[in-house]
């Protein structure tokens, strides 16, 4: 049977035209007044469509739309919401007040996934959710930023569990007509289509855009008629297990993303590479500068290096994307001649040791080599990253490896319960939660009475229990559970019980099994009728991760045990909707990764916004956030050589903390039935962590630490037809060829074994500057207290002043103040000091006094 098809568009009455515009901007995902507008049209359909305004307008009966258009109260409400939206879009912003941007697209952010709302399933987990929150805060703060990504027509997999608890994966096609994405078209109304060479074949892609408040994200799609079937599937699904397709995706994201910008007439100045998947864009930027501006490879690379920000999210070497040379060969054999390098030189760009033929090509290494500005996503992750990649920066002390950190944050309006937001604003002088680190808003929690706060938490717990029961009922229906078991669903969970949430990817290092290692100890937690406790588990294992799937199965089996079936539940198909319900409704958020393998983690931040408490290993963000006032720690940040021993110890620590501290605090009530100490800690959690771990603070940090500096660097390098880039490239080449001539001949100081604390010590150094004649180098006194092993326990840098030169030997002077008693030491070192360098830490260009 041959079926002809056509597209039916919603016929929205003219009076309701603002609904179409509101539905086409992800602004709705963090503005509850917009969501209420659509929910009011048909509350049941709103649930069925997963809170998707675009799909609502497609599926709502025309009669209902016509009826609402005549409802003056509804129309007036809509016009007020629409006016607020238009005001938001045009308002002065934090960025416009503090910085002046020349265009609306000075900064571009590349990421392979974006998690903005459950109605747009173009994400798999934490990386995507973070990118979505980054976009929302960039919009709130008014950054001149755009995003680049891929549009996956099957997104990420949907998860279900069979009767044995085995994870089943299914992939559903996305319907772009009922998702707020727009096909980019030219002046003739034709779709923008671009041809790119991928592995020796011509592949076409078209470009879609997503409006996220003031921000646009452009997404590439190869699922079009011009392509063969094998090339249409490049944008089929996130993290395709086929390694060839993975390279295709990353080639398309990086190199195709650059081509898309050109097609759209966009010319960003700063490029933010969010995780290594997009790192090929750095090669394409370099190639384009060579071709378009007649720059050499070294000159183009200076521009790229000085204007690139790279964020790494992975604290273990094995987690960074690596490809064998044979897999890359069909993609780059045609490409690398345009860069003027050999095949081995190309492979060296992605190897820690460029000359090791057995080392695979690492996308993180490529990004670090081309980015002057690099960061981890928490303070501890910055420390781990500097140690992990120290071999790329020989002779530089680990603590000075140029990888900083910007601790992740979460978008408050997206994750904060709207009722709590109303309560906070009612008690706050400021009415604008978009303000960066606005203490007044978060401190408003202390003006909410304990009774009102606890009533709010109780209502949220009850709402979560209703959600869990509905979800479990549907899960059991899919497994054809008998009527007797379906009836029992209404008995699961207790609205007065301490409710623990654990939801994340079921990677082994996240240790979802930790609470369940000892069944008898678990009974002590879950089977005390005087202090009822219940646990909600959610999360997916990667389709290829059999160990992760086995953890799910083991917990599922426990949840079927008669002792646990009413207070231990696994929810299927973890997504933004499930996450939102959990972070707003639980009392305790459990996170127990194997330290230090959690780069940051953001789900616990969302919990803290909503007045709940964290119980976590001191890893990622919790390592810097934890105090006894805002939650509990599992252990004290210890290190273990034996991971199995570590699991046993920390499982017992977890159970012990629950039984001795968490549960008693929750159930200790005053004469009014209020857990006073629990409420105090919960309010502290909102106040302290709410302002500190917001994505607005995070994005502001990116602006101030990286974007603003990179903009200055880029402007300096490209002005006067790239003369500064040419001069800097020539200087760096000279430095690399002649740095061996730089030597510290003599260091002179007081000839005294003991000095008084607080004394000022003069330091002189005679330095053979070789061909640098005292300029474009930086001589530093490097000093600090020493351990018994004569190693620095902390360090300080003092730039030394050039006093005089005699031929190639120059005298530098400095004074250091010794403010700490005990053993103290210093040395002298020489670094590049060219004024146009974005960072002085260049591989191989550092000389220490011997």
């Amino acid at each position: 049977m041959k079926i002809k098809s056509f597209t039916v568009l919603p016929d929205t009455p003219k009076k309701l035209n603002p609904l179409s515009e509101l539905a086409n901007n992800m602004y709705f995902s963090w503005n509850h007044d917009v969501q209420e507008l659509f929910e009011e049209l048909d509350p049941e359909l709103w649930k069925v469509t997963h809170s998707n305004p675009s799909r609502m307008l497609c599926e709502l009966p025309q009669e209902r739309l016509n009826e609402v258009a005549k409802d003056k109260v509804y129309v007036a409400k809509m016009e007020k919401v629409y006016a607020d939206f238009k005001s938001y879009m045009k308002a002065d912003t934090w960025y416009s007040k503090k910085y002046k941007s020349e265009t609306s697209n000075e900064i571009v952010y590349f990421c392979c996934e974006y998690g903005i709302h459950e109605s747009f399933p173009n994400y798999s987990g934490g990386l995507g959710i973070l990118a979505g929150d980054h976009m929302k805060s960039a919009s709130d703060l008014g950054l001149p930023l755009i995003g680049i990504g891929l549009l996956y027509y099957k997104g990420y997999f949907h998860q279900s569990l069979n009767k044995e608890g085995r994870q089943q994966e299914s992939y559903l096609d996305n319907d772009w007509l009922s998702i707020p994405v727009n096909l980019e078209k030219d002046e003739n109304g034709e779709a923008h289509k671009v041809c790119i060479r991928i592995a020796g074949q011509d592949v076409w892609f078209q470009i879609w855009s997503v409006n996220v408040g003031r921000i646009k994200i452009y997404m590439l799609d190869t699922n079009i008629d011009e392509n063969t079937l094998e090339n249409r599937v490049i944008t089929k699904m996130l993290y395709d297990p086929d390694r060839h397709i993975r390279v295709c995706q990353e080639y398309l994201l990086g190199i195709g993303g650059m081509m898309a910008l050109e097609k759209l007439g966009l010319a960003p100045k700063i490029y933010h590479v969010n995780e290594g998947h997009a790192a090929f864009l750095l090669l394409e930027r370099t190639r384009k500068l060579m071709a378009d501006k007649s720059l050499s490879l070294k000159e183009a690379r200076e521009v790229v290096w000085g204007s690139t920000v790279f964020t790494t999210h992975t604290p273990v070497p094995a987690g960074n994307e690596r490809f064998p040379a044979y897999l890359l060969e069909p993609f780059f054999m045609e490409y690398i001649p345009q860069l003027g390098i050999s095949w081995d030189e190309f492979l060296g760009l992605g190897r820690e040791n460029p000359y090791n033929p057995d080392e695979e090509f690492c996308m993180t290494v490529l990004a670090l080599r081309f980015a002057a500005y690099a960061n981890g996503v928490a303070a501890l992750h910055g420390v781990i990253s500097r140690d992990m990649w120290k071999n790329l920066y020989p002779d530089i002390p680990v603590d000075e490896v140029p990888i900083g950190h910007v601790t992740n944050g979460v978008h408050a309006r997206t994750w904060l319960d709207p009722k709590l937001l109303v309560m906070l604003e009612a008690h706050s002088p400021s009415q604008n939660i978009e303000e960066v680190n606005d203490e007044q808003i978060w401190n408003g929690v202390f003006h909410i009475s304990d009774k009102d706060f606890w009533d709010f938490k109780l209502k949220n717990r009850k709402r979560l229990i209703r959600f869990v029961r509905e979800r479990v009922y549907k899960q059991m229906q899919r497994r054809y559970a008998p009527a007797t078991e379906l009836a029992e669903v209404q008995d699961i969970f207790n609205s007065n019980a301490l409710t623990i949430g654990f939801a994340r990817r079921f990677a082994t290092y996240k240790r979802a099994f930790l609470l369940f290692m000892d069944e008898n100890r678990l009974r002590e937690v879950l089977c005390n009728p005087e202090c009822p406790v219940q646990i909600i588990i959610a999360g997916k294992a990667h389709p290829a991760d059999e160990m992760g799937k086995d953890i799910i199965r083991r917990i599922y089996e426990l949840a079927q045990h008669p002792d646990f079936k009413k207070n231990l539940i696994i929810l299927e198909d973890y997504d933004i909707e499930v996450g939102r319900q959990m972070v707003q409704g639980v009392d305790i958020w459990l996170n127990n990764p194997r330290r230090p393998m959690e780069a940051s983690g953001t789900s616990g931040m969302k919990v803290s916004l909503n007045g709940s408490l964290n119980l976590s290993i001191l890893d990622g963000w919790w390592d810097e956030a934890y105090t006894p006032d805002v939650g509990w720690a599992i252990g004290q940040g210890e290190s273990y050589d034996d991971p199995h021993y570590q699991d046993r110890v920390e499982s017992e620590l977890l159970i012990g903390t629950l039984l001795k501290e968490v549960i008693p605090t929750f159930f200790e009530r005053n004469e009014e039935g209020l857990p006073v100490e629990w409420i105090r800690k919960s309010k502290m959690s909102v106040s302290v962590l709410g302002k500190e771990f917001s994505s607005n603070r995070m994005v502001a940090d990116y602006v101030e630490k990286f974007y603003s500096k990179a903009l200055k660097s880029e402007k300096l390098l490209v002005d006067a037809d790239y003369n500064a880039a040419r001069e800097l490239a020539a200087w760096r080449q000279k430095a690399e060829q002649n740095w061996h001539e730089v030597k510290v001949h003599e260091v002179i100081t007081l000839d005294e074994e003991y000095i008084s604390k607080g004394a000022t010590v003069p330091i002189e150094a005679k330095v053979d500057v070789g061909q640098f004649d005292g300029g474009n180098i930086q001589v530093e006194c490097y000093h600090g207290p020493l351990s018994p092993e004569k190693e620095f326990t902390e360090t300080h840098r003092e730039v030394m002043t050039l006093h005089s030169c005699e031929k190639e030997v120059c005298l530098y002077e400095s004074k250091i103040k010794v403010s700490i008693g005990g053993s103290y030491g210093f040395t002298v070192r020489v670094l590049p000091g060219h004024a146009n360098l974005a960072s002085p830490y260049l591989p191989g260009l550092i000389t220490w006094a011997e």
Side-chain angles (χ1 to χ4, degrees):
M1 178 173 63
K2 185 176 183 181
I3 299 176
K4 292 187 176 181
S5 66
F6 49 83
T7 301
V8 180
L9 299 175
D11 185 17
T12 309
K14 190 174 181 180
K15 273 193 175 180
L16 300 181
N17 277 348
L19 290 180
S20 298
E21 190 172 343
L22 290 168
N24 195 43
N25 194 310
M26 287 292 182
Y27 171 88
F28 79 78
S29 68
W30 71 92
N31 284 275
H32 300 283
D33 53 354
V34 181
Q35 295 171 25
E36 288 172 2
L37 270 184
F38 288 94
E39 184 176 14
E40 193 175 324
L41 294 172
D42 188 330
E44 188 57 35
L45 185 58
W46 182 246
K47 286 176 67 175
V48 170
T49 61
H50 298 287
S51 309
N52 180 349
S54 295
R55 192 172 160 199
M56 278 282 292
L57 292 181
C58 283
E59 297 193 12
L60 199 67
Q62 191 65 40
E63 294 78 15
R64 177 58 179 154
L65 285 170
N66 294 338
E67 175 189 337
V68 172
K70 297 172 185 176
D71 184 337
K72 293 181 180 180
V73 174
Y74 182 89
V75 170
K77 181 180 178 181
M78 178 197 69
E79 289 174 346
K80 166 66 170 64
V81 171
Y82 184 63
D84 290 344
F85 166 66
K86 299 302 282 187
S87 174
Y88 170 89
M89 295 294 284
K90 296 177 181 177
D92 283 344
T93 63
W94 172 82
Y95 192 91
S96 66
K97 292 171 186 173
K98 192 165 185 177
Y99 302 89
K100 290 185 178 178
S101 57
E102 297 177 8
T103 69
S104 61
N105 55 76
E106 286 186 345
I107 307 160
V108 62
Y109 181 98
F110 278 70
C111 190
C112 64
E113 57 173 302
Y114 291 88
I116 304 167
H117 187 258
E118 60 266 30
S119 64
F120 185 34
N122 212 58
Y123 63 94
S124 72
L127 179 68
I129 305 299
L130 174 80
D133 282 5
H134 194 109
M135 296 296 106
K136 293 171 187 177
S137 282
S139 172
D140 288 344
L141 300 180
L143 269 65
L145 181 146
I146 56 177
I148 295 287
L150 301 181
L151 191 68
Y152 306 95
Y153 64 86
K154 286 188 181 289
Y156 202 50
F157 72 88
H158 292 272
Q159 175 202 51
S160 61
L161 304 179
N162 66 16
K163 292 179 180 179
E164 289 74 42
R166 296 296 300 178
Q167 175 176 289
Q168 311 290 305
E169 299 99 23
S170 61
Y171 293 86
L172 305 177
D173 283 2
N174 288 316
D175 177 10
W176 304 132
L177 292 174
S178 61
I179 292 176
V181 295
N182 309 286
L183 187 60
E184 288 293 306
K185 298 179 179 179
D186 61 22
E187 62 276 6
N188 299 317
E190 298 294 326
H192 280 303
K193 292 185 179 177
V194 182
C195 183
I196 178 174
R197 291 283 289 177
I198 298 181
Q201 298 183 50
D202 287 340
V203 179
W204 289 86
F205 65 85
Q206 59 188 3
I207 308 165
W208 299 76
S209 64
V210 182
N211 297 309
V212 185
R214 303 179 178 102
I215 300 294
K216 273 189 182 290
I217 305 174
Y218 295 99
M219 296 184 168
L220 283 49
D221 165 28
T222 65
N223 186 27
I224 53 179
D225 293 339
E226 288 85 348
N227 288 329
T228 63
L229 182 61
E230 66 176 309
N231 289 327
R232 292 181 70 154
V233 301
I234 291 174
T235 53
K236 177 182 177 181
M237 61 184 179
L238 263 163
Y239 305 124
D240 196 299
D242 183 302
R243 300 298 288 165
H244 174 81
I245 293 180
R246 280 288 278 277
V247 182
C248 289
Q249 290 180 335
E250 300 189 9
Y251 192 96
L252 176 66
L253 175 61
I255 296 175
M258 288 295 300
M259 297 171 73
L261 290 172
E262 184 175 21
K263 184 71 172 181
L264 295 168
L266 303 173
K269 298 176 180 177
I270 304 308
Y271 291 73
H272 186 164
V273 184
N274 191 43
E275 192 57 297
H277 308 106
F280 290 143
L281 80 88
L282 303 168
L283 301 176
E284 179 63 3
R285 277 195 73 200
T286 304
R287 187 200 66 79
K288 276 189 59 60
L289 284 165
M290 293 170 67
D292 297 348
K293 304 299 179 182
S294 300
L295 300 179
S296 70
L297 172 66
K298 292 180 181 295
E299 292 163 352
R301 192 169 169 181
E302 291 294 348
V303 179
V304 173
W305 183 75
S307 55
T308 297
V309 179
F310 169 59
T311 299
T312 175
H313 293 261
T314 312
V316 289
N320 291 269
E321 191 86 91
R322 297 175 189 270
F323 299 114
Y326 76 84
L327 199 57
L328 295 179
E329 189 170 354
F331 293 85
F332 285 99
M333 288 307 287
E334 291 182 10
Y335 188 92
I336 59 171
Q338 300 174 69
L339 295 172
I341 58 177
S342 69
W343 175 245
D344 287 338
E345 287 172 321
F346 163 72
L347 292 176
L349 295 174
R351 290 170 170 165
E352 291 184 60
N353 178 356
Y355 309 105
N356 179 3
D358 298 322
E359 185 180 338
E360 293 189 327
F361 187 99
C362 177
M363 299 295 279
T364 302
V365 172
L366 175 65
L368 288 170
R369 285 220 162 96
F370 276 80
Y373 307 96
N375 69 283
V377 289
L380 178 60
H381 183 224
V383 173
I384 298 299
S385 297
R386 288 189 285 278
D387 186 66
M388 185 173 7
W389 301 112
K390 62 188 176 186
N391 291 339
L392 296 176
Y393 307 93
D395 296 326
I396 294 174
V398 174
D399 62 342
E400 290 187 301
V401 167
I403 303 175
H405 82 274
V406 171
T407 300
N408 283 344
V410 297
H411 189 253
R413 281 193 179 271
T414 295
W415 300 103
L416 181 62
D417 185 283
K419 297 183 185 66
L420 182 55
L421 173 57
V422 170
M423 295 166 75
L424 290 171
E425 289 183 332
H427 293 287
S428 305
S430 173
Q431 297 296 306
N432 181 12
I433 207 166
E434 273 85 33
E435 287 297 320
V436 180
N437 300 342
D438 193 329
E439 293 189 19
Q440 293 177 328
I441 288 166
W442 301 109
N443 288 345
V445 72
F446 297 120
H447 299 290
I448 302 171
S449 72
D450 283 1
K451 183 180 184 306
D452 287 345
F453 186 84
W454 191 243
D455 285 347
F456 158 75
K457 293 303 297 177
L458 176 60
K459 288 174 183 175
N460 273 16
R461 196 183 309 121
K462 287 180 176 178
R463 187 185 70 194
L464 174 60
I465 289 171
R466 288 195 300 272
F467 176 81
V468 167
R469 287 172 178 170
E470 290 175 8
R471 196 97 175 183
V472 170
Y473 190 89
K474 291 175 182 176
Q475 290 175 192
M476 294 178 69
Q477 274 187 320
R478 281 197 297 272
R479 295 186 207 123
Y480 300 102
T484 52
E485 290 185 19
L486 291 173
E488 291 174 355
V489 171
Q490 294 311 309
D491 295 329
I492 64 172
F493 277 29
N494 174 352
S495 62
N496 293 312
L498 171 66
T499 304
I500 300 173
F502 179 97
R504 52 198 15 91
R505 190 162 48 89
F506 269 73
T508 310
Y509 78 86
K510 292 181 182 283
R511 299 193 298 181
F513 56 82
L514 204 66
L515 184 59
F516 309 102
M517 289 182 70
D518 186 330
E519 195 171 316
N520 290 325
R521 293 290 273 160
L522 181 64
R523 281 189 178 83
E524 293 182 51
V525 174
L526 292 183
C527 299
N528 181 354
E530 300 299 316
C531 299
V533 177
Q534 54 206 18
I535 305 173
I536 306 170
I537 307 286
K540 299 175 178 178
H542 188 278
D545 183 2
E546 291 302 324
M547 293 178 69
K549 290 180 180 180
D550 194 54
I551 294 169
I552 293 174
R553 182 189 56 77
R554 284 155 50 197
I555 297 173
Y556 175 89
E557 287 174 352
L558 265 180
Q560 308 310 305
H561 192 285
D563 290 350
F564 306 130
K565 66 187 304 182
K566 288 187 178 182
N567 53 1
L568 173 58
I569 291 296
I570 293 189
L571 295 183
E572 296 174 355
D573 211 21
Y574 180 44
D575 65 359
I576 289 177
E577 180 184 14
V578 174
R580 187 188 304 110
Q581 292 286 345
M582 288 182 67
V583 300
Q584 292 178 3
V586 300
D587 301 297
I588 278 286
W589 196 253
L590 180 60
N591 188 24
N592 40 244
R594 188 174 289 124
R595 192 180 194 268
M597 300 176 74
E598 181 85 286
S600 175
T602 56
S603 55
M605 301 174 189
K606 298 159 192 168
V607 168
S608 64
L609 290 179
N610 288 285
S612 297
L613 300 174
N614 281 271
L615 170 60
S616 178
I617 294 288
L618 290 173
D619 198 7
W621 81 288
W622 194 238
D623 183 68
E624 62 195 90
Y626 167 70
T627 69
D629 280 334
V630 296
W632 288 272
I634 304 167
Q636 298 177 332
E638 301 92 340
S639 297
Y640 297 82
D641 294 327
D642 182 345
H644 299 294
Y645 176 72
Q646 180 178 359
D647 292 347
R648 291 194 301 273
V649 169
E650 292 181 339
S651 175
E652 182 54 38
L653 284 172
L654 167 56
I655 297 283
T657 305
L658 281 169
L659 292 173
K660 296 173 186 176
E661 299 182 48
V662 178
I663 296 172
T665 306
F666 184 84
F667 286 104
E668 185 179 341
R669 308 296 167 97
N670 67 5
E671 61 278 3
E672 298 176 69
L674 300 175
V676 176
E677 175 60 11
W678 187 278
I679 292 171
R680 185 192 71 80
K681 292 168 78 82
S682 297
K683 287 182 176 181
M684 288 293 292
S685 178
V686 173
S687 174
V688 175
L689 304 182
K691 60 176 171 277
E692 182 61 28
F693 293 96
S694 76
S695 56
N696 282 13
R697 185 273 311 151
M698 174 186 77
V699 171
D701 281 355
Y702 274 110
V703 171
E704 290 165 357
K705 286 185 175 182
F706 300 129
Y707 294 166
S708 60
K709 294 177 182 178
L711 279 166
K712 289 178 183 176
S713 176
E714 189 270 351
K715 179 173 174 53
L716 185 70
L717 291 168
V718 305
D719 273 359
D721 194 29
Y722 295 86
N723 279 346
R726 291 184 170 92
E727 191 274 331
L728 181 58
W731 178 87
R732 193 193 291 226
Q733 183 172 5
K734 174 184 173 183
E736 289 169 348
Q737 292 171 345
N738 300 292
W739 193 261
H740 64 279
E741 298 176 2
V742 176
K743 292 182 175 61
V744 181
H745 277 310
E746 186 179 6
V747 178
I748 308 162
T749 189
L750 298 173
D751 188 21
E752 298 179 18
E753 186 176 353
Y754 300 98
I755 60 172
S756 300
K757 187 169 71 171
T760 298
V761 180
I763 308 290
E764 293 182 348
K766 292 182 179 179
V767 179
D768 188 335
V769 296
Q771 299 189 32
F772 296 93
D773 54 40
N776 288 335
I777 61 171
Q778 183 166 293
V779 180
E780 296 178 345
C781 179
Y782 188 82
H783 61 99
L786 299 175
S787 70
E789 293 79 23
K790 299 302 180 184
E791 294 178 350
F792 287 112
T793 57
E794 63 177 82
T795 56
H796 307 275
R797 300 164 53 194
E798 204 74 43
V799 177
M800 303 183 73
T801 303
L802 176 63
H803 179 270
S804 60
C805 288
E806 187 174 337
K807 296 185 178 179
E808 291 86 12
V809 178
C810 296
L811 178 66
Y812 291 83
E813 297 178 331
S814 181
K815 293 178 181 179
I816 61 173
K817 188 171 184 179
V818 181
S819 57
I820 301 174
S823 183
Y824 203 90
F826 72 92
T827 187
V828 171
R829 68 183 186 181
V830 187
L831 296 133
H834 195 287
N836 293 350
L837 278 174
S839 167
Y841 300 110
L842 302 179
L845 302 188
I846 183 169
T847 297
W848 295 84
E850 294 181 355

